[in-house]
Amino acid sequence: VVASGALTEITARSDLAIARRDDAASILVGTVAGHLADRQLSEVLVGSRRLFVPLLDAPVGASVRLGIPAREVILALEAPSAISVHNIIDGAVRSVAVDAIHHDALVEVAIPGGAFLARVTPDAVSRLQLTSGVPVLALIKSVAIQVIGLGGH
């Protein structure tokens, strides 16, 4: 046994071997808050954070599990404007693990109701001065979020 605990917590840990995989994804549990059929999007609340995903066939109030691929998360210190990304989620760096062999870094981003990983370059860690506690904005394309299924935990 390498780790135990809730899936949502284990998948957001940069110190586990599973996080080193190219397809590493963190799991968040949320609640369907509404549908924007004209925009072909659904709104999911994870804690107090709103995420937009491709239109779901699920009732409002349903619990859903979302997969956030680490390689699909962009970190910023300032909010961008006039972009196609729907999800700009404010959070804080929980930890940073630099992998000198693979020339990348995994940043754990904490938000109310969960945490997820962002895979960035060591240069990005240095330029943005990413250390524990630094507030960040995570940019995640709606189409990059994997709706894994209905039901929580």
Side-chain angles (χ1 to χ4, degrees):
V1 175
V2 177
S4 64
L7 181 62
T8 53
E9 187 57 33
I10 290 172
T11 59
R13 286 182 48 188
S14 61
D15 63 325
L16 297 177
I18 193 167
R20 298 274 23 119
R21 293 175 48 113
D22 184 55
D23 62 347
S26 301
I27 305 298
L28 295 174
V29 176
T31 303
V32 176
H35 302 289
L36 306 166
D38 58 326
R39 295 174 60 195
Q40 298 184 36
L41 295 169
S42 291
E43 180 181 5
V44 176
L45 289 177
V46 175
S48 60
R49 301 305 189 261
R50 177 182 66 183
L51 284 89
F52 290 102
V53 300
L55 190 61
L56 297 174
D57 183 19
V60 170
S63 181
V64 293
R65 279 174 275 165
L66 306 175
I68 311 293
R71 67 174 179 251
E72 298 289 345
V73 178
I74 298 168
L75 298 179
L77 299 180
E78 299 175 1
S81 63
I83 62 171
S84 64
V85 174
H86 289 102
N87 300 301
I88 302 174
I89 310 300
D90 61 313
V93 173
R94 188 164 69 177
S95 72
V96 178
V98 176
D99 183 346
I101 294 171
H102 294 102
H103 309 291
D104 68 8
L106 287 169
V107 179
E108 295 180 18
V109 178
I111 61 171
F116 54 89
L117 296 173
R119 177 171 278 121
V120 300
T121 64
D123 178 69
V125 171
S126 176
R127 283 185 303 107
L128 299 176
Q129 299 179 1
L130 300 176
T131 58
S132 181
V134 170
V136 292
L137 298 171
L139 286 64
I140 310 167
K141 293 177 6 180
S142 296
V143 295
I145 298 175
Q146 304 160 339
V147 179
I148 297 169
L150 299 176
H153 317 294

